[in-house]
Amino acid sequence: MDFDYSPDQAALASAASQLLGRMAPIERVAEVADSGSPYDRDLWNAVVEQGWLALDLGAEMGGLGLGLVEVSILAEELGATLAPIPYVLCVLARRALERAVAGGASPD
């Protein structure tokens, strides 16, 4: 069984690593923590602009039509930098709401 990233998944991980390296160095993470802000607004806006919140949404809903593997790739990159944004929380909340609206059926 092959557990390597596909070329597209590797490109996603690389792009995320570059963006987070630029926008979430440890000094910035410390600044946000010291500021009392619940998250880094600039980083959050960049994540939204990249379409990360719609990564696992189907194209019919305006998403990119990818899956949880790609979401986990982003979560891993976010965790590696301690990125101060609520990405995983928002994705999980959205998925729970989708499931509730669908009557308990899995959105996948």
Side-chain angles (χ1 to χ4, degrees):
M1 198 171 238
D2 183 10
F3 290 105
D4 289 334
Y5 289 157
S6 71
D8 288 342
Q9 291 168 335
L12 175 65
S14 177
S17 178
Q18 289 174 17
L19 180 120
L20 294 167
R22 207 173 48 253
M23 295 194 72
I26 195 65
E27 298 82 12
R28 177 65 184 148
V29 172
E31 285 174 19
V32 172
D34 290 343
S35 75
S37 177
Y39 62 95
D40 184 331
R41 291 180 192 276
D42 292 336
L43 179 57
W44 186 249
N45 288 334
V47 163
V48 170
E49 288 174 15
Q50 292 293 314
W52 291 3
L53 292 174
L55 196 69
D56 61 323
L57 282 175
E60 70 281 357
M61 295 182 70
L64 300 177
L66 302 176
L68 289 178
V69 170
E70 289 78 12
V71 169
S72 68
I73 289 169
L74 292 180
E76 182 177 4
E77 295 297 331
L78 290 162
T81 61
L82 303 175
I85 58 171
Y87 176 76
V88 172
L89 175 66
C90 288
V91 169
L92 292 176
R94 192 204 72 237
R95 290 180 68 84
L97 288 170
E98 288 171 355
R99 186 173 180 158
V101 167
S106 174
D108 290 331

